[in-house]
Amino acid sequence: MTSSAKPSRLSDTGLPLGASLPELPDYLKEGMGAAWNQSNTIRVLLFASVYCTHCIDLLPHLQTIAENHRTFSFSLFTTGDEEDHRSMKEYFGWDFPVNTMDQSDMEAYFEVTALPFMMLVDKSGAVAAKGVIYNADDFEQILRISGIHLT
């Protein structure tokens, strides 16, 4: 276990704004295929745990968020297994990738210590916005507050 201090504010969690995405070990990239190395597209990385009530409450909102931002590329990382992901994708009708990631890996590679969490990665591959997200309105608010140009 690492001795890193927990963030003093929720805004302190996640990779710093402007940071590049980390290089991930092969075992984390297995289910992602080419999606991880996409460039010239805005990516949304969502982090959730299947053991977190707020995370479970967020799941029904993800399809609406994805439909409202079709030009974005979405990836969901959860603590669930392949069967959990298959069930969620079928139930919610998601067409974006859902990948398994332990909470320890979320913290180690993405500095995510609060869930559910999202990071918006701009076309250059830098973190442009981030925050705890409970529903579609929270997602939209993070986009508005960031003031980034999304096209």
Side-chain angles (χ1 to χ4, degrees):
M1 184 166 221
T2 63
S3 61
S4 64
K6 293 291 181 201
S8 59
R9 300 183 321 262
L10 287 178
S11 61
D12 292 339
T13 193
L15 294 171
L17 294 177
S20 296
L21 292 180
E23 182 60 37
L24 296 180
D26 289 341
Y27 77 91
L28 288 176
K29 291 193 280 189
E30 278 178 10
M32 293 185 232
W36 183 249
N37 292 318
Q38 289 176 332
S39 60
N40 207 25
T41 186
I42 296 173
R43 293 184 281 169
V44 177
L45 309 180
L46 301 156
F47 300 87
S49 169
V50 294
Y51 306 106
C52 157
T53 304
H54 291 298
C55 299
I56 301 302
D57 290 345
L58 171 65
L59 298 180
H61 298 274
L62 297 182
Q63 186 62 30
T64 300
I65 293 168
E67 287 175 0
N68 288 342
H69 298 281
R70 291 196 184 280
T71 60
F72 293 4
S73 173
F74 286 82
S75 294
L76 174 61
F77 300 93
T78 83
T79 58
D81 60 24
E82 293 293 321
E83 188 173 323
D84 293 330
H85 296 161
R86 197 170 20 261
S87 297
M88 287 188 278
K89 287 182 82 161
E90 282 179 24
Y91 183 81
F92 294 113
W94 298 335
D95 61 359
F96 50 82
V98 181
N99 302 288
T100 298
M101 184 176 285
D102 292 337
Q103 279 186 261
S104 60
D105 287 334
M106 291 178 191
E107 185 169 353
Y109 294 102
F110 296 97
E111 301 178 25
V112 171
T113 57
L115 297 172
F117 195 79
M118 63 83 68
M119 280 192 275
L120 186 90
V121 180
D122 67 17
K123 291 180 179 183
S124 73
V127 176
K130 62 181 183 169
V132 173
I133 171 179
Y134 298 114
N135 54 47
D137 289 339
D138 289 347
F139 183 86
E140 297 299 330
Q141 183 176 7
I142 289 168
L143 293 183
R144 276 194 305 279
I145 289 171
S146 73
I148 61 172
H149 189 354
L150 300 175
T151 56

